[in-house]
Amino acid sequence: MTNVVVLISGSGTNLQALIDAKQKGELPVTISAVISNRPNVKGLERAQAAGIETLVIDHKDYASRELFDAELQARIDEFDPHLVVLAGFMRILTEGFTRHYSARMLNIHPSLLPKYQGLHTHQRALEAGDTEHGVTVHFVTPELDGGPNVIQAVVAIVEGDTVESLAQRVQAQEHVIYPMAVSWFAEKRLSMDNHQSVLDNEVLPPSGYVLDTRMK
Ligand code: GAR
């Protein structure tokens, strides 16, 4: 069984989607630990309710990014994971850390990458007058929000959308595509080769696999 460690910083709805998919028999993984860089967040409660071991490694206790990442890496590696899943983990990672987990770390980002790397993605899409927005799962490389895309869900921006309404529709899709991507990895259908995502022996396009919810 594919052994996964999930890193969170907050509410953990993406973690919950993974837990739910596993409980439905749709995700052949063992989540051996959930690690948060913030204490007392809702995601830790979700993990505990599912009987998953939790750890808090508070970044505020470390004098530098390097020291924090070194401790995080050491603690993750105690679980010997095949895959590290960043699920709303809101820390910029050091290059050494990303290289250590090269081709075995996924992230989810609320935009159609490479558009809108960084923060406030929903607001930026609305302000730009975009007609579509979405969410991307990608392999993590040293470049922030820059590794090869695995899957994107495209969501229409509609008249009257606010940051909240848009975020809600995008989040609903996050909870669909993250379990899909993790299950592909677990089933050994997905890998990263030569800085490209490969699914079922085919190199994916730069967008990754596209799930277009506008068709519905
Ligand atoms: C999600 O919307 C995820 O896409 C975003 O944080 C949220 C976490 O929600 N991640 C990023 O912005 C990463 N750059 P959750 O804790 O409820 O899963």
Side-chain angles (χ1 to χ4, degrees):
M1 188 76 94
T2 299
N3 177 15
V4 175
V5 169
V6 181
L7 306 189
I8 61 166
S9 299
S11 69
T13 62
N14 279 287
L15 166 67
Q16 189 68 56
L18 297 172
I19 292 170
D20 292 348
K22 183 178 159 46
Q23 282 171 355
K24 280 190 247 161
E26 292 167 1
L27 193 58
V29 302
T30 301
I31 303 176
S32 52
V34 169
I35 304 179
S36 174
N37 67 309
R38 293 211 187 100
N40 306 316
V41 293
K42 171 92 177 162
L44 289 167
E45 286 172 31
R46 294 178 192 275
Q48 281 152 10
I52 301 167
E53 184 168 346
T54 58
L55 288 175
V56 174
I57 307 173
D58 190 338
H59 62 276
K60 295 196 188 107
D61 294 340
Y62 296 83
S64 70
R65 210 174 273 290
E66 285 69 24
L67 286 170
F68 171 73
D69 278 10
E71 176 67 11
L72 183 60
Q73 183 176 313
R75 303 298 293 276
I76 292 170
D77 286 353
E78 285 171 16
F79 296 95
D80 205 14
H82 300 103
L83 179 69
V84 175
V85 171
L86 307 182
F89 186 66
M90 303 303 280
R91 295 284 303 167
I92 293 174
L93 299 164
T94 55
E95 181 169 346
F97 185 92
T98 61
R99 287 201 190 289
H100 181 72
Y101 298 106
S102 178
R104 55 188 181 114
M105 181 155 63
L106 293 172
N107 182 42
I108 191 157
H109 181 78
S111 76
L112 297 174
L113 288 172
K115 266 192 149 180
Y116 309 128
Q117 296 162 340
L119 298 174
H120 310 301
T121 56
H122 308 307
Q123 191 178 338
R124 286 156 68 200
L126 286 172
E127 283 171 5
D130 291 356
T131 56
E132 61 177 38
H133 185 46
V135 53
T136 306
V137 174
H138 63 95
F139 280 104
V140 177
T141 59
E143 190 194 337
L144 179 66
D145 299 329
N149 289 353
V150 172
I151 180 168
Q152 287 189 326
V154 181
V155 168
I157 294 183
V158 297
E159 185 99 27
D161 252 337
T162 60
V163 168
E164 291 70 31
S165 66
L166 185 55
Q168 205 172 27
R169 288 208 311 287
V170 169
Q171 272 233 326
Q173 294 307 315
E174 297 192 11
H175 304 155
V176 173
I177 68 169
Y178 220 175
M180 278 175 78
V182 173
S183 70
W184 289 342
F185 188 93
E187 291 159 357
K188 301 203 176 351
R189 295 173 56 193
L190 172 71
S191 60
M192 186 182 109
D193 286 324
N194 262 328
H195 209 271
Q196 289 174 314
S197 294
V198 178
L199 179 65
D200 296 334
N201 300 313
E202 302 266 356
V203 173
L204 286 168
S207 57
Y209 182 97
V210 177
L211 198 73
D212 195 338
T213 68
R214 293 171 305 172
M215 308 297 221
K216 284 181 187 163

